[in-house]
Amino acid sequence: YVPVQSAESRTPALIQHKDAVRASAEASLRVYARLIRANAGIGNDDRVALGLSVDNRSRARIAAPASAPLLNVVCAFPGSHQLRFADENTPNSRAKPRGVTNLWLAMAISDYGCPTPNDPNAAMMVGAFTKQPAYVEHEIKDAGKTATYFGRWATARGLLGPWSLPRSMTIVAGGSAAPSGTKHRQVEPARENLRKAA
């Protein structure tokens, strides 16, 4: 290392040799670092003194969400709906609760003039949304019917919170006018997880 610092002795071959020696030393030190981290007889103070990271074992596991989302159908495009969501504890903020990664959205469609459903377990899972706004597209045959939405928060580990209150909106006739790239993301295992969580 020292000769490389001098302009008189610094050569490409010497630099290459220095880099190779350093890489070899780092590889050996990583082996020792793993052994030290795994050794229960070495205290955290000694680990910190060696410049090693210390596992934070005091972190509590993220629990299932205790609050429910608030859904709002803000627009009815031809063949699609635009929704926004917030947490019931912070209705004026778009931030999701701690530990929540996405919103699970279920939907039930009812005929014109029929009562809208109140049971989310009778609804169909349509997707998991991480960003706003959320767009849900509908089939042409459902034009004039009513779509009722239910949402619940989900963590990265698949823990689910309580269902939201239902929100309903009539499906407008016509093709979808949702902007490109904003379709809801289908979640294949969602229905199985939904059955397990029920």
Side-chain angles (χ1 to χ4, degrees):
Y1 172 79
V2 174
V4 170
Q5 306 309 306
S6 171
E8 298 176 355
S9 59
R10 183 183 179 92
T11 63
L14 192 59
I15 294 173
Q16 186 176 9
H17 177 68
K18 183 263 298 180
D19 292 342
V21 172
R22 174 176 177 143
S24 176
E26 287 181 348
S28 298
L29 290 174
R30 287 193 182 98
V31 173
Y32 288 119
R34 287 194 291 269
L35 293 172
I36 291 170
R37 286 195 183 99
N39 191 331
I42 299 177
N44 286 338
D45 291 341
D46 292 330
R47 289 190 176 96
V48 173
L50 290 171
L52 301 177
S53 60
V54 178
D55 292 337
N56 183 2
R57 302 185 183 278
S58 63
R59 289 182 296 185
R61 280 198 168 203
I62 295 176
S67 58
L70 295 175
L71 300 180
N72 186 20
V73 184
V74 294
C75 288
F77 295 107
S80 67
H81 288 150
Q82 182 192 95
L83 293 88
R84 289 194 176 275
F85 46 89
D87 188 67
E88 62 182 358
N89 293 330
T90 54
N92 295 323
S93 172
R94 294 186 183 179
K96 294 185 284 290
R98 178 181 176 271
V100 167
T101 56
N102 54 66
L103 170 82
W104 280 25
L105 191 66
M107 176 188 66
I109 296 178
S110 54
D111 291 328
Y112 175 78
C114 294
T116 56
N118 290 316
D119 183 9
N121 294 310
M124 177 185 68
M125 185 72 183
V126 293
F129 298 85
T130 58
K131 296 180 180 179
Q132 303 200 46
Y135 289 89
V136 179
E137 297 186 358
H138 300 283
E139 298 181 26
I140 296 176
K141 66 180 181 64
D142 292 327
K145 298 180 181 179
T146 301
T148 301
Y149 300 98
F150 304 88
R152 68 194 314 186
W153 297 126
T155 68
R157 293 175 55 230
L159 300 177
L160 303 174
W163 285 107
S164 70
L165 294 173
R167 287 293 180 266
S168 300
M169 178 67 74
T170 301
I171 300 171
V172 181
S176 173
S180 60
T182 56
K183 296 180 182 179
H184 65 269
R185 179 169 60 86
Q186 293 290 345
V187 179
E188 295 301 330
R191 295 186 189 178
E192 181 61 26
N193 292 337
L194 197 58
R195 285 193 289 270
K196 292 178 181 178

